[in-house]
Structures are given as structure tokens and as C-alpha cells.
């Protein structure tokens, strides 16, 4: 069932304790706006929620919400599913299921689970009957494993189909049979063991297909995602933290009824997916295939402390065998919320410097030729606080400095400034430098906004 955002600020405002557990009331509800009447849904949820309840927004996935419309029994009519916590206890999360009969909402089912946080909520068909089940993951806090329960709705009753512990999880078609699979990654820090378990449809229910032992000496997991590993193969990408900030990625494939890892580290050899700082696997270039990211140092930054290095995110795809092929590089600044794709024509003959002591923040991209003997400005990105922008822009115009406005909304304005003078370089170096220069249109195409993670 397709879903779209439906804002229910009236619902939030009417609850006894307000939004309580969320600072983003627009995320309280996801539902198809064509289904049902928003006002009646708001009233129904408020009517059946226990007194003093607070709606609870799931932590994962990003699009999950506290209230959803879902057809849970396949009759073509959507049920309302709401998640909440009460003032009575910090370790109990409630689930409320409402159904509509003759234009009126009625309580169909309600139950509670043990947990201090609602970690995961999704509605997926895991049994193969074309009707979604409720996947509800609850946790007890940081560094503790969580527990996933899968419920179905039949004969106006909710039935728990499975309950399993997990550290991190993913849902998707891993086996390539056009049916959703459930992958659970379970880390036991006490016994230094870890494993990936795969579940899927079997005779109308959910059964374990296989499992694979993983490195139990990781620090933890921060993402699992199922997606295309190549044009013809799907994969499970598991991003793990190793030390204080370093990380690595496991790629698991479905091979003849078992899970395999084509990028498994060989003793004595370099881990192909090692990164000094964590970086989530994602489809960075929009081709439908998931890339594995690593971090690389720009040239000339070898003497900087780890925390001062302007790390570049370098993305790779599985090569279909036991290696990786390079796709593209990006400079990603989470605090300022921007991503600049490094143009291919720069190759490795560029460097990046950041002046942290200035306001506004300056990020300079420079030509770096002959091992640093030839340097010249290629591009400067400048971030200005929104409340200072009018004055700053006036100064730019007075000095006749042309700029490219990249981002104006939010707390920061981001501009790009191209060099206005020709650098003093030798003939060959100058020709190389000019071949690396960017136009305003190229910069706009290379830039994209990104979510602030700090």
C-alpha cells in the first residue's frame, strides 16, 4: 500500500502531554491523504489512546511515523496503527489498531511491548500472502540488543508470528525472488560473537533461511541495508564500527541457499572496506546500485591531525568478484550541510583546506601540482549565518566579487566563489590548472544539500 505524508498538528496539540516524544510533529502521521478523513482519524486516535499518553515516533527507518494507515487484512480498507507511551512506566510501548465500520472508527486491537524506545516500525509482506505484517522493534537503550516482533492481523485479532533479538536489521529482496526478506544482525559483545540471520516466507509463515557468522570483535553496527550490489545481484550491506571512530563494511550475497561474503578480509591483507571514520553505504550516484564508502586524505594534508584532515568520501561498487571498483569522490561537510562531488577532471591533483578560525567558514579547493610545488585556487565555498547574509552580500557587491548562491534556506547561506585572477604558474602547470577549472553551471551540478548529522 503506497503512503504519503499527512500532517496532523491538530492531533499533537490535542494530546494531554503535547507531542512529548517528538520535536517534529509533521512526522507524527504517514497516510494516503485520499484514504479516510483526517479529522476523524485524529479524533479516533485521541479517543482510544489511554489518558496521559504520548505518541511515539519510531527511530527507524527515517520515514516511519507514530500513526499510519495500513491495510493489514487485505480487505481493501486501511486500519489506523498508532504507537504511544504512557506516564505509568518508561519500559512499555503501546500499539493501538483501529478499524472503520460504517463510517465510524472502532478499536480493533491494542497491546503493549517491553522497551524504553521504539526503535523500528515497518509494514512488510514477509509471509508471501500479499498482505503486510507489522514489524515492531523495541529497545532498552544504547549498547543493548533490541527485540523484533512480527504481527499479522487475521479474524480481527493480532497474532505474533515471530520474536527475535537484533542489533540492527534490514528488509528487502536479498534472494532475488521478488519477495521481501528480513535480515537480522545480532552482536553479542560479552562473548565476542556476531551473526547475520536471514528470514523469509515459507508455507504462509516466516522461517529462517540461513545464518552466517560475522566478526564478533566489532564495536557495533550503525546501518544495514538491502539493495543492488550489481546490476544483476542484490546484497546486504552491513556497516560496522571498529574502534573509537574507524569502521568497515560487510557485503553479504545469497548463493545457493547460503550467505557469502565476497569482500571478506583475508588475513595479512588490507581490508578493502576499512575507513578511518564511519560512512554509510548508499546509492551515491543514483544508478540504483549501492556504493561502499571509504575515507581518503587530500594531497598535502599528511601532517594534519586526524580531526583536522578534510576527509574526502570515496565510493566504490562491488566488481562482481572479490574486489571493488571506484565510482566517485565527494567532499561532505555535515555541520554545514553540503556535499560537493569532486569532478573527475581534478583527478588526484587537488587539495582541500579549511579555515576553522574564520566566520564565515571557508573551504578552499586548490590545484595541487608537482607534489605541491604548484598551487592555485580552484574554488572557495563560504558559509554565512543567515542573519548576517544581507550585510555580507552587500560587501560582496561593493567589492564586485561574483558569487554563486548554492543554498539560502535554513540557518546558513552557502555560496561558491571562483578565482578572478590568473595564477602565476609555468606554462605546463597553467594549462593543467585551466583544464581543471569549473564553470558556474558545473558547480551547481556538483553541489547538493545534505542532512546535518552533527
Amino acid at each position: 500500500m503506497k503512503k504519503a505524508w499527512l500532517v496532523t498538528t491538530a492531533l499533537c496539540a490535542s494530546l494531554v502531554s503535547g507531542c512529548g516524544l517528538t520535536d517534529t510533529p509533521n512526522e507524527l502521521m504517514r497516510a494516503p491523504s485520499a484514504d479516510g478523513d483526517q479529522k476523524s482519524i485524529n479524533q479516533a486516535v485521541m479517543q482510544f489512546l489511554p489518558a496521559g499518553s504520548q505518541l511515539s515516533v519510531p527511530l527507524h527507518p527515517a520515514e516511519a511515523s507514530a500513526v499510519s494507515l495500513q491495510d493489514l487484512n487485505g480487505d481493501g480498507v486501511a486500519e489506523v496503527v498508532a504507537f504511544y507511551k504512557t506516564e505509568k512506566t518508561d519500559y512499555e510501548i503501546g500499539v493501538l489498531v483501529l478499524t472503520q465500520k460504517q463510517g465510524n472508527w472502532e478499536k480493533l486491537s491494542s497491546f503493549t511491548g517491553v522497551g524504553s524506545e521504539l526503535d523500528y516500525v515497518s509494514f512488510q509482506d514477509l509471509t508471501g500472502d500479499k498482505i503486510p505484517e507489522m514489524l515492531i522493534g523495541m529497545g532498552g537503550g544504547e549498547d543493548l540488543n533490541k527485540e523484533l516482533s512480527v504481527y499479522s492481523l487475521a479474524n480481527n485479532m493480532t497474532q505474533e508470528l515471530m520474536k527475535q533479538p537484533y542489533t540492527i536489521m534490514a528488509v528487502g529482496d536479498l534472494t532475488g525472488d521478488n519477495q521481501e526478506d528480513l535480515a537480522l544482525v545480532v552482536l553479542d559483545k560479552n562473548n565476542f560473537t556476531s551473526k547475520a540471520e536471514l528470514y523469509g516466507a515459507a508455507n504462509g509463515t516466516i522461517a529462517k533461511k540461513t545464518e552466517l557468522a560475522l566478526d564478533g570483535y566489532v564495536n557495533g553496527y550503525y546501518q544495514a541495508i538491502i539493495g543492488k550490489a550489481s546490476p544483476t545481484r542484490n546484497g546486504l550491506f552491513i556497516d560496522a564500527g571498529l574502534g573509537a571512530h574507524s569502521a568497515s563494511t560487510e557485503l553479504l550475497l545469497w548463493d545457493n541457499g547460503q550467505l557469502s561474503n565476497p569482500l571478506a578480509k583475508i588475513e595479512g591483507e588490507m581490508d578493502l572496506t576499512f575507513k578511518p571514520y564511519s560512512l554509510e553505504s548508499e546509492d551515491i550516484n543514483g544508478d540504483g546500485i549501492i556504493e561502499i564508502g571509504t575515507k581518503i586524505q587530500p594531497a598535502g594534508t599528511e601532517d594534519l591531525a586526524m580531526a583536522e584532515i578534510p576527509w574526502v568520501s570515496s565510493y566504490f561498487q562491488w566488481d562482481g568478484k572479490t574486489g571493488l571498483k571506484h565510482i566517485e569522490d565527494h567532499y561532505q561537510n555535515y555541520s554545514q550541510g553540503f556535499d560537493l562531488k569532486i569532478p573527475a577532471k581534478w583527478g588526484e591533483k587537488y587539495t582541500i583546506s579549511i579555515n576553522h578560525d574564520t566566520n564565515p567558514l571557508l573551504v578552499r579547493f586548490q590545484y595541487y601540482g608537482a607534489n605541491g610545488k604548484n598551487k592555485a585556487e580552484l574554488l572557495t565555498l563560504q558559509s554565512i549565518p543567515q542573519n548576517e547574509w544581507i550585510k555580507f552580500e552587500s560587501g560582496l557587491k561593493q567589492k564586485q566579487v561574483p558569487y554563486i548562491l548554492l543554498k539560502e534556506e535554513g540557518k546558513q547561506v552557502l555560496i561558491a566563489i571562483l578565482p578572478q585572477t590568473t595564477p602565476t604558474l609555468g606554462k605546463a602547470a597553467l594549462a593543467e590548472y585551466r583544464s581543471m577549472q569549473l564553470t558556474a553551471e558545473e558547480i551547481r551540478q556538483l553541489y547538493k544539500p545534505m542532512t546535518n548529522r552533527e
Side-chain angles (χ1 to χ4, degrees), residues 132-153:
E133 283 76 48
M134 290 186 286
L135 283 65
I136 304 173
M138 299 186 186
E142 193 173 352
D143 293 330
L144 295 176
N145 275 335
K146 306 150 189 103
E147 190 167 66
L148 173 71
S149 293
V150 180
Y151 297 90
S152 67
L153 180 64

Side-chain angles (χ1 to χ4, degrees), residues 16-93:
V16 173
S17 300
C19 289
L21 301 182
T22 175
D23 294 326
T24 53
N26 62 311
E27 295 180 355
L28 283 173
M29 187 166 188
R30 298 182 70 216
S33 57
D35 290 349
D37 174 69
Q38 179 180 350
K39 184 177 180 180
S40 70
I41 293 172
N42 293 351
Q43 292 173 342
V45 171
M46 288 187 288
Q47 175 185 350
F48 291 105
L49 278 180
S53 296
Q54 299 173 323
L55 287 173
S56 183
V57 177
L59 299 175
H60 307 100
E63 66 271 16
S65 66
V67 181
S68 294
L69 277 177
Q70 296 286 336
D71 181 6
L72 298 175
N73 54 14
D75 64 357
V77 179
E79 283 73 41
V80 168
V81 184
F83 300 91
Y84 63 91
K85 293 188 71 174
T86 68
E87 298 174 342
K88 295 180 180 179
T89 174
D90 290 332
Y91 289 93
E92 190 172 83
I93 295 172

Side-chain angles (χ1 to χ4, degrees), residues 171-181 198 209 225-238 250-256 258-262 287-290 318 320:
V171 178
D173 180 13
L174 182 59
T175 60
D177 62 357
N178 295 317
Q179 170 64 45
E180 298 293 90
D181 300 302
L198 188 67
K209 293 184 175 182
I225 183 173
I226 294 175
K228 280 195 172 296
S230 75
T232 59
R233 299 287 301 276
N234 294 344
L236 169 62
F237 298 80
I238 306 170
E250 302 266 15
L251 169 59
L252 304 187
L253 304 174
W254 177 257
D255 280 321
N256 299 318
Q258 300 295 324
L259 294 173
S260 65
N261 186 349
D287 66 351
I289 299 172
I290 303 295
W318 176 51

Side-chain angles (χ1 to χ4, degrees), residues 360-363 379-384 389 392-393 396 401-408 412-418 443:
L361 176 73
L362 294 175
V363 180
L379 170 68
T380 298
L381 296 182
Q382 207 157 5
S383 183
I384 304 101
W389 169 237
F392 190 87
E393 183 185 31
L396 291 174
V401 177
Y403 64 91
I404 304 160
L405 184 61
L406 297 178
K407 184 184 74 169
E408 192 172 9
Q412 298 288 326
V413 175
L414 181 69
I415 62 172
I417 300 175
L418 291 171
I443 293 171

Side-chain angles (χ1 to χ4, degrees), residues 261-313:
N261 186 349
L263 304 179
K265 182 181 177 183
I266 300 174
E267 189 173 351
E269 296 188 11
M270 182 183 69
D271 181 356
L272 293 177
T273 67
F274 174 83
K275 57 214 80 179
Y277 287 93
S278 63
L279 184 62
E280 292 183 353
S281 301
E282 62 174 306
D283 177 13
I284 192 68
N285 61 350
D287 66 351
I289 299 172
I290 303 295
E291 281 80 37
I292 294 173
T294 63
K295 295 280 190 178
I296 59 174
Q297 276 184 264
T301 62
E302 293 78 13
D303 294 333
L304 295 179
M306 284 280 289
E308 296 177 347
I309 296 171
W311 295 97
V312 172
S313 300

Side-chain angles (χ1 to χ4, degrees), residues 346-402:
W346 284 7
E348 297 180 358
K349 294 192 174 182
Y350 74 94
T351 190
I352 303 173
S353 64
I354 302 177
N355 193 335
H356 295 281
D357 299 326
T358 62
N359 185 16
L361 176 73
L362 294 175
V363 180
R364 289 190 172 93
F365 298 83
Q366 294 177 304
Y367 164 60
Y368 192 87
N371 294 320
K373 294 180 181 178
N374 296 318
K375 284 186 179 181
E377 205 86 1
L378 287 166
L379 170 68
T380 298
L381 296 182
Q382 207 157 5
S383 183
I384 304 101
Q386 180 68 254
N387 58 3
E388 300 175 14
W389 169 237
I390 294 177
K391 180 180 179 181
F392 190 87
E393 183 185 31
S394 177
L396 291 174
K397 291 178 178 178
Q398 287 179 2
K399 297 175 184 178
Q400 296 185 328
V401 177

